[in-house]
Amino acid sequence: MILEVAMLQVKPGLAGEFERNFQVASGIISKMKGYIHHELKRCMEDDHKYVLMVKWETLEDHTVGFRGSAEYQEWKSLLHHFYDPFPIVEHFEAI
């Protein structure tokens, strides 16, 4: 199992719309091969900052399977226009 982590900076004034779109996007990612679980958390000090954590069975389930899919194109159209700057996505493994 690996953990994908992304810090998301949502453009001012768009947090509500982002959260609504994320609910739709959640239905997309949750059906992907290798998907285990995800959580989106909003920062208490800055309500336009979020952290997204997604558990995948393998790194390739995310980087190849999901990112190479038609579903990812839908995910992008729902969410990517909200970010400034575009998030850095990192992957972590248990030690």
Side-chain angles (χ1 to χ4, degrees), residues 1-4 34 36-37 54-59 92-94:
M1 192 272 313
I2 64 104
L3 177 66
E4 167 199 354
I36 298 171
H37 176 77
V54 185
K55 291 181 182 178
W56 297 95
E57 289 180 17
T58 69
L59 178 63
F92 298 83
E93 61 185 347

Side-chain angles (χ1 to χ4, degrees), residues 7 20 29-31 38 52-53 60 62 68 75 82 90-91:
M7 293 298 299
R20 286 188 295 277
I29 198 170
S30 65
K31 295 175 184 166
H38 74 276
L52 172 62
M53 298 168 288
E60 292 74 21
H62 176 232
W75 169 275
F82 288 107
E90 298 177 306
H91 301 90

Side-chain angles (χ1 to χ4, degrees), residues 41-55:
K41 305 284 187 179
R42 182 177 45 234
C43 179
M44 296 174 70
E45 291 79 20
D46 179 352
D47 64 359
H48 290 91
K49 183 186 286 186
Y50 298 80
V51 62
L52 172 62
M53 298 168 288
V54 185
K55 291 181 182 178

Side-chain angles (χ1 to χ4, degrees), residues 6-40:
M7 293 298 299
L8 310 175
Q9 296 277 349
V10 173
K11 296 173 186 174
L14 299 179
E17 184 182 352
F18 166 74
E19 290 178 15
R20 286 188 295 277
N21 280 21
F22 190 84
Q23 291 300 314
V24 176
S26 291
I28 296 169
I29 198 170
S30 65
K31 295 175 184 166
M32 298 305 300
K33 178 188 174 296
Y35 166 87
I36 298 171
H37 176 77
H38 74 276
E39 292 183 57
L40 179 69

